[in-house]
Each structure stands twice: as C-alpha cells, then as structure tokens.
Amino acid sequence: MTVGIKDVARLAGVSPATVSRVLAGRAVDSDMQERVLAAVKSTGYRPNLSARRLRSQHSNTIGLIVADIRNPFFTAVSRTIEDVAYARGMRVILCNTDEDPAKEEMYLRLMQEERVTGAILAPTRRGVEKVDAIPKDFPIVLIDRAGTSRQHDSVLLDNHAMAALLVRHLHEQGYRRIAGLFGAASTTGAERRAGYEQAMAQLGLDPEAVLVDHAPGAAEAAVARLLQATSRPEALIASNGVMLTRVLHAVRDMGLVIPGDVALAGFDNEPWMELVGDGLTVIEQPVAEIGRTAMTMLLDRLDHPDAAARRIVLDGRCLVRGSSTPIRRTSAAA
Amino acid sequence: MTVGIKDVARLAGVSPATVSRVLAGRAVDSDMQERVLAAVKSTGYRPNLSARRLRSQHSNTIGLIVADIRNPFFTAVSRTIEDVAYARGMRVILCNTDEDPAKEEMYLRLMQEERVTGAILAPTRRGVEKVDAIPKDFPIVLIDRAGTSRQHDSVLLDNHAMAALLVRHLHEQGYRRIAGLFGAASTTGAERRAGYEQAMAQLGLDPEAVLVDHAPGAAEAAVARLLQATSRPEALIASNGVMLTRVLHAVRDMGLVIPGDVALAGFDNEPWMELVGDGLTVIEQPVAEIGRTAMTMLLDRLDHPDAAARRIVLDGRCLVRGSSTPIRRTSAAA
DNA sequence: AATTTATGAGAAAACGTTTTCTAATAGCCA
DNA sequence: TGGCTATTAGAAAACGTTTTCTCATAAATT
C-alpha cells in the first residue's frame, strides 16, 4: 500500500532511475523534473531510508554513547553534537550506558549493526581498555574519557591540571584539610584524583581521596562518613556536577553551612550553581567546544581514515564563587 | 569486504535461510545451529539492520520529538522512554525542535521516512494544530502538550488545575498581587495561564500574565519590567523549570531577595531546587510516569490500531518550600 | 561533414536480509 | 507396510532504493 519510487515513476511517465536522480538533485530534463516533483507531491511519496541506506552503503548516521543523558554535561555536549550533525544531514542515535561496561559493549555492537558512519563515545573505565580492540575501520572519537588509549581520536579536558587548580585555589583561600570525592567508574574520576593528589603532595598536605560508586546514595554516604570523622575536612572537592549536587544535599542534610562549616568546590558549571548560597566554585568545561570538536574530528577522520590519531586537550575555567571564600578558623590554626 | 549472511552460510555449510533462522532463534537442527554459531563467531558477522528492516518491514524504532533535551523535564521523560524502549529491543531516535514548527514538521517527515514504528511528540503550539493532519496509520502519542486535538493518544499534566493550585497556595500565604510568566510557544503555557487567570478571578484578584518568548533573555527582560513597575508584584509564578531558573537569576540580579522582596513559585522540580535559598516552591511532574505511560500507550496503539484515542491526564504534586513563606507586609495591607 | 565526446534516460543488477515456496525426510496412524 | 501429516532445509523471490551499464541523442572538435 505504501507508495514507492516505482509508483512515482509510473505516474510521472519516467523510469525509477530518473525519479531517484531528481530526488538526489542531479541533472535531468527540466520538464521531467517537473513531472516527477508533481508526482511526488500528489502521491505523498516518502523515500524509504532503510532501502536507501542498504543500497547506497552509507547511513549518514552517527552513534553517540554517553554514560547518562541526565548528566547536564552530557546533555549539553549531546545537544551540540546533534545540532552539528543534523545541520550536515546526519542523524544521531543516542545511547546511555549508565557506566555499565556490558551496556556499552552492546551499544557499540548495535552501532556496527546499524552501519553508522562513525561514533562518539564516552567510555566507561573498563570499556576504555577494550576500546583499542574496536576495528580500525570503525571511526570513533572518544570524549571526556580516553584513558591511555592512543589509537583513536579523542577530545578531553585537562583533568589533572584542573583538579590541581582547584586544590591550589582552596589552599590559597587558607584551606588545608581538603578531601576529594571521585567517580569510581570513569577514567575522568581517576585523572582528577591524580591531579588532586599530586597538588596536595606538592603543597605538603595529606590527600584524602574517596572513590564513589555510580549508585544512588553512594555520594551521600561518603560525605556523611567524611564529615563525621574526628578531624573533619575543611573543604570538599567533588569530581563532577552530579556528585557536586549530591554532596551539597548531604552537607545540608547534616545541618552544616557552606563555606562556614565546610568549603565546597567541584567540576561542571550549571545555571543554578551561582544561585545556591553565595554560589558554588567550579571548573567550567567548554561543553559546546567539546561537542563541536568531537564532530569535526569525526568528519575529518572520515575524510582521512589513515591519518594518525589526534588527542585534543581543552582547558576549563575556574569560576570562583562563595562556596570557597577564605577560611575563618574558629580555633587554633593547622 | 564486509561479511554477510552468505559468507556465514558458506562457512557453516548451510543455506543463508538457515543462518537467518538460527539468528532469529527459530527451530533448527542442533548440529547445524552449532556450526552456524561457530561461523558467526569466527567471521565476526554483524547483521545489517538496514537490510533486515527493509525486508522485514518493521523498524523496531520509535521517534521522540521534544522541544529541547536540555530542558530537564524532557531529559527525564526521554530517559524513561529510552529505557523502556531498549528493554523491548526498540531503538529511539531523538530530535529537538527548539519550539520551531518548521523543524517539527521536518522531523515528523523524517520519522515517516525512517518508517518508525511510532512516535512520541511534544508538539509546538502551532504544530499541535497540524497534528490532526498526520495520517491515522502513523501511530503517535502526544506528551506534555495536546491542545484540543483528540485524534491521537496523549498523556498530559492537568495544567489548568496545577496552575490554579499554585495561585491558591500563594493566596493562602497572604500574597495578593501575583504575576505569572508563561511560555508563549507551547500549549502548556497557554493552559497554565488559563488556570492561573481563572483562579485569580475566583479569588477576586487582578491577573497579570506575561507571555514569554522561547528566545534567550526574554524571561529576564519580562521580570525586570514587572519588578520595576510602580506596583510591584508580591509573587511570581513561572510556567516551567527553565523559565523558573531564569526568573530566579533575574530577581537576584536586581538585588532582590526571595521571598522577602518577592515570592516565587513555578513548575518542574529539579534536584537543586531545594538547595537555593530556603527552597523553591514548585509543582513536581510525574516525569517517569509520563514517559512510561507514553510508551505503554504507543505499544497498545500498535496492537489496536483502531481503538479510540485516549487522553490520560496526570496530577502533579505541590512541593511547598521557602520561596513562598507567608508574606510579611512592610506597610499597609492590600 | 564526419568522428569523437558529452549528456541524459531507461533497463537491469545490486545492496543484505527475511520470507515464501518447494522438496525431502521422518514420524504417525490405519 | 503404505499413505498422510508434520517438520525442517534449501532455492528463490522480495523488500525499495541507488548505481552501473547500455544506448541514443546532442554537442563539440577536426
């Protein structure tokens, strides 16, 4: 019942090939073109993209695999990627791994079965080890996390440096006992932790890094444990925006005030972060640039399949706000 | 170069049809099955989903068209829809209209060309008028906005009642001059405005509704205009979460405090909303239930194409927080 | 003016599957 | 034991396009 290219051709009195050519915008007799366009309109013909993809062997689709679209960082990056893609006539398939390597593997397989033109992937910590096993003829750009893999293109934040920057900022404000909460399931967490520990060591401070699960409630529990200890930290660092939100909740629930009882700083800027209290000090990531760069790299890769893999490392901005005002010590200094 | 079902068949010494049957999990000789599976593994065969869809005539894909995935309401709903869909072996194509009817139309056309099994759509205000023109054989569920269309299934919030609820709450707290900011491009905004106006009228109050564009900066400008007027409103209502955030920003930028200078309430709950000041009073939508219901309706529709269209209206919860504490009048009462 | 080259249209093949159709074998009942 | 049915596998058609191939006609070159 559905109208196909043959029906259009018959109505217009031309061959299917001609209809295809008209639709592809290639040179045809203007009279025929007119008849074809009229026939398309009158039949309400809609090309079947599956058939088109099967025959033409390119999908014009890219896969986007992130941990969780509810994380505003990924939301923002995704949005940019989609806009660029659709502007180029490409579709995007979006998948959430929930930091689960099994899901990630399944979605990567799905992408191959969809014969996507390429994929943009934020791999899980365990997934990043397997990423080098992906066939070279499957173009991939890693975002946000790349681990040690140098085989694929990647666009990353300078996590190490940014975490260190945060530590030094807190140190300058007079904080000494600075604890850090880092995501356990992502390489991002690991890198930020390393930056944190190195900066702490350089300043002669004792690092206290906590690895936090992706599971709900984990961050809250970690905060409670930290702040109920005998020598409570003077400041907390949260390694991403979602965790920062949870830490904030947990601190409030304990009846503590920021920064009076404990200072707070973290990663990822969101519109509300300057509204809570006197604002939250954060490292803002260049989300739009990350998305745009990833798409550009992917398209470049398609043009030059054999070029060497590139790694682009971007810097964030440290937005200093009220949650890290200079410390006011109540008793003896450290 | 890519390995197809024929290659697998040749290696396993069976016909392509048999390979297809094994992969579909249908009954075959166990010896052959074993050989096929071995051949699949050794060749690294990946089925071509385009070919499969073309031949089998079902795409196992649903389209999801929302205004903007960066709006946390849509993010949350999308996430639920995706989870349900993938659990059923279906894919989701996600598109953002940016409240632009032209984009919406284009994406609806795209969905038809993809031969999606069905679509879930949050139509723009102008798009909702055209939605009845969509062929009946294209299953659609409208979410969040349905206007007067009764031809398609829909799952909605009781916008009228919820807006009225917010008005009555503010009235109970002692507020009288209550202004509302409503999205100009969505039917949601229109319905909430109607509820607001009716409730205001019933309480004998003068409504002051402002229609706010989707464009950036529009909400801020509207707030500035309202609060600089000679008789400044005592309370503001924002018709969705994004607008609420912007209103909050604007109020803060003017150096006013909430609720001391002006009270604030709105729609859509987000994790941070209990953290800013003494919390924001909002109507929380049952986002997960909306997503789940939409998917269920869509799947039902596929089973019963000729059943009458259903409209499911859900209630939200009013979360009372600090931004609407009882008014303390400085001078004479109204 | 004759030959080559360029252009454009139709016929038919091809893309990689699933499904229908046909045939063969095994199992069952009388 | 003979015929009938049920089951399973292979051959071939089909899905709706694009693209290659072939041919005819027009344009260009010598």
Side-chain angles (χ1 to χ4, degrees):
Chain A
M1 305 311 77
T2 164
V3 29
I5 205 171
K6 290 178 191 166
D7 304 296
V8 175
R10 199 177 318 119
L11 186 64
V14 301
S15 75
T18 300
V19 176
S20 174
R21 285 189 261 257
V22 169
L23 264 35
R26 271 182 285 174
V28 287
D29 182 88
S30 69
D31 175 47
M32 282 181 157
Q33 168 151 340
E34 214 167 287
R35 293 211 312 271
V36 168
L37 260 23
V40 165
K41 181 160 283 182
S42 79
T43 55
Y45 167 74
R46 295 269 172 271
N48 182 320
L49 296 187
S50 290
R52 175 174 293 176
R53 283 201 271 263
L54 172 59
R55 171 61 235 216
S56 68
Q57 300 286 67
H58 38 72
S59 65
N60 279 347
T61 301
I62 71 157
L64 176 56
I65 306 178
V66 300
D68 187 354
I69 190 65
R70 282 171 304 198
N71 180 335
F73 168 74
F74 288 122
T75 311
V77 173
S78 305
R79 189 54 216 274
T80 309
I81 289 173
E82 284 191 55
D83 286 345
V84 176
Y86 277 95
R88 302 214 173 209
M90 309 188 83
R91 327 262 162 265
V92 175
I93 302 180
L94 175 67
C95 307
N96 301 281
T97 65
D98 286 321
E99 306 285 7
D100 178 350
K103 270 192 177 180
E104 177 178 333
E105 200 176 336
M106 171 199 128
Y107 285 132
L108 275 169
R109 184 162 50 234
L110 173 65
M111 293 303 121
Q112 328 227 125
E113 298 185 353
E114 290 279 4
R115 302 294 193 269
V116 296
T117 312
I120 296 176
L121 168 69
T124 62
R125 187 165 186 174
R126 277 191 42 219
V128 79
E129 298 162 12
K130 296 177 159 185
V131 101
D132 284 338
I134 295 171
K136 273 281 283 187
D137 62 345
F138 185 67
I140 275 203
V141 174
L142 305 175
I143 58 172
D144 191 45
R145 313 133 174 219
T148 56
S149 164
R150 295 259 165 191
Q151 185 169 321
H152 300 281
D153 296 315
S154 54
V155 40
L156 307 164
L157 187 75
D158 191 342
N159 290 306
H160 196 100
M162 293 298 112
L165 184 60
L166 228 37
V167 170
R168 283 197 300 274
H169 163 69
L170 288 170
H171 180 260
E172 276 169 18
Q173 304 289 77
Y175 297 94
R176 294 296 177 267
R177 290 200 304 278
I178 306 170
L181 296 98
F182 303 93
S186 72
T187 57
T188 310
E191 289 172 20
R192 291 174 189 174
R193 177 190 175 191
Y196 157 84
E197 289 180 337
Q198 187 183 344
M200 289 293 279
Q202 282 177 350
L203 294 166
L205 303 176
D206 283 338
E208 179 162 17
V210 182
L211 262 49
V212 181
D213 241 37
H214 189 62
E220 289 80 352
V223 170
R225 204 152 21 78
L226 278 172
L227 296 186
Q228 280 160 1
T230 47
S231 81
R232 169 202 291 175
E234 297 161 342
L236 296 176
I237 290 179
S239 80
N240 64 61
V242 174
M243 198 175 304
L244 181 56
T245 310
R246 294 193 179 148
V247 169
L248 189 54
H249 258 108
V251 170
R252 289 283 185 98
D253 284 351
M254 295 178 71
L256 301 177
V257 309
I258 293 170
D261 293 316
V262 60
L264 185 55
F267 282 79
D268 297 337
N269 190 31
E270 297 175 36
W272 58 269
M273 286 186 175
E274 55 176 314
L275 298 173
V276 45
D278 295 320
L280 257 36
T281 295
V282 289
I283 299 290
E284 181 184 53
Q285 298 201 53
V287 283
E289 194 179 350
I290 291 174
R292 230 181 314 111
T293 307
M295 271 303 286
T296 308
M297 288 184 97
L298 187 55
L299 296 169
D300 283 356
R301 173 62 48 195
L302 299 174
D303 290 338
H304 312 286
D306 297 320
R310 287 185 300 163
R311 162 171 297 213
I312 293 184
V313 178
L314 301 172
D315 268 331
R317 285 195 309 158
C318 182
L319 305 177
V320 176
R321 300 196 183 113
S323 69
S324 64
T325 47
I327 194 169
R328 284 188 316 141
R329 284 177 203 286
T330 49
S331 54
Chain B
M1 312 335 75
T2 166
V3 30
I5 206 171
K6 289 178 192 168
D7 305 295
V8 175
R10 198 175 319 119
L11 186 65
V14 301
S15 76
T18 300
V19 177
S20 173
R21 287 190 261 255
V22 169
L23 264 36
R26 270 182 286 174
V28 287
D29 182 87
S30 69
D31 175 46
M32 283 184 155
Q33 168 152 339
E34 214 167 285
R35 294 211 311 274
V36 168
L37 259 24
V40 165
K41 182 160 282 183
S42 80
T43 55
Y45 166 73
R46 295 268 172 272
N48 182 319
L49 295 187
S50 290
R52 176 174 292 176
R53 282 200 272 261
L54 173 59
R55 172 61 234 217
S56 68
Q57 300 286 67
H58 38 75
S59 65
N60 278 348
T61 300
I62 70 156
L64 176 56
I65 307 179
V66 301
D68 188 353
I69 189 66
R70 283 172 303 198
N71 180 335
F73 168 73
F74 289 122
T75 311
V77 173
S78 305
R79 189 52 217 274
T80 309
I81 289 173
E82 285 191 55
D83 286 345
V84 177
Y86 278 95
R88 303 215 172 207
M90 309 189 83
R91 327 264 164 263
V92 175
I93 303 180
L94 174 67
C95 308
N96 300 281
T97 64
D98 285 321
E99 306 286 7
D100 177 352
K103 270 193 177 180
E104 177 177 332
E105 200 177 336
M106 172 199 128
Y107 284 131
L108 275 169
R109 185 163 47 232
L110 173 65
M111 293 304 120
Q112 327 227 125
E113 299 185 352
E114 290 279 6
R115 302 294 193 270
V116 296
T117 312
I120 295 176
L121 168 68
T124 62
R125 186 164 185 176
R126 277 191 42 219
V128 80
E129 299 162 11
K130 295 176 158 189
V131 102
D132 283 339
I134 295 171
K136 272 283 279 186
D137 62 345
F138 185 67
I140 275 202
V141 174
L142 304 175
I143 58 170
D144 190 45
R145 313 136 173 214
T148 56
S149 165
R150 295 259 164 190
Q151 184 169 322
H152 300 281
D153 296 313
S154 53
V155 38
L156 307 165
L157 187 75
D158 191 342
N159 289 306
H160 195 99
M162 292 299 115
L165 184 61
L166 227 37
V167 170
R168 283 197 299 273
H169 164 68
L170 289 170
H171 180 261
E172 276 169 18
Q173 303 291 77
Y175 297 95
R176 294 296 176 268
R177 289 200 304 278
I178 305 170
L181 296 98
F182 303 92
S186 71
T187 58
T188 310
E191 290 172 20
R192 291 175 188 171
R193 177 190 174 189
Y196 156 85
E197 288 181 337
Q198 187 183 346
M200 289 293 280
Q202 281 176 351
L203 294 167
L205 303 176
D206 282 339
E208 178 163 17
V210 182
L211 262 50
V212 180
D213 239 38
H214 188 62
E220 289 81 350
V223 170
R225 205 151 22 78
L226 278 172
L227 296 186
Q228 279 160 1
T230 47
S231 83
R232 168 201 292 175
E234 298 162 341
L236 296 177
I237 289 179
S239 79
N240 65 61
V242 174
M243 197 173 304
L244 182 56
T245 310
R246 293 191 178 148
V247 169
L248 189 55
H249 258 108
V251 171
R252 289 284 183 98
D253 284 350
M254 295 177 71
L256 301 177
V257 307
I258 293 169
D261 293 316
V262 61
L264 185 56
F267 282 79
D268 298 336
N269 190 31
E270 297 175 36
W272 58 270
M273 286 185 175
E274 55 177 312
L275 298 173
V276 47
D278 296 319
L280 257 37
T281 295
V282 290
I283 300 289
E284 180 184 54
Q285 299 201 51
V287 283
E289 193 179 349
I290 291 174
R292 231 180 315 110
T293 307
M295 271 302 287
T296 308
M297 288 184 97
L298 187 55
L299 296 169
D300 283 356
R301 173 61 49 193
L302 299 174
D303 290 338
H304 311 286
D306 298 321
R310 288 184 300 163
R311 161 171 299 213
I312 294 184
V313 178
L314 301 172
D315 268 329
R317 285 195 308 159
C318 183
L319 305 177
V320 175
R321 300 196 182 112
S323 69
S324 64
T325 47
I327 193 168
R328 286 190 313 142
R329 286 178 201 286
T330 50
S331 54

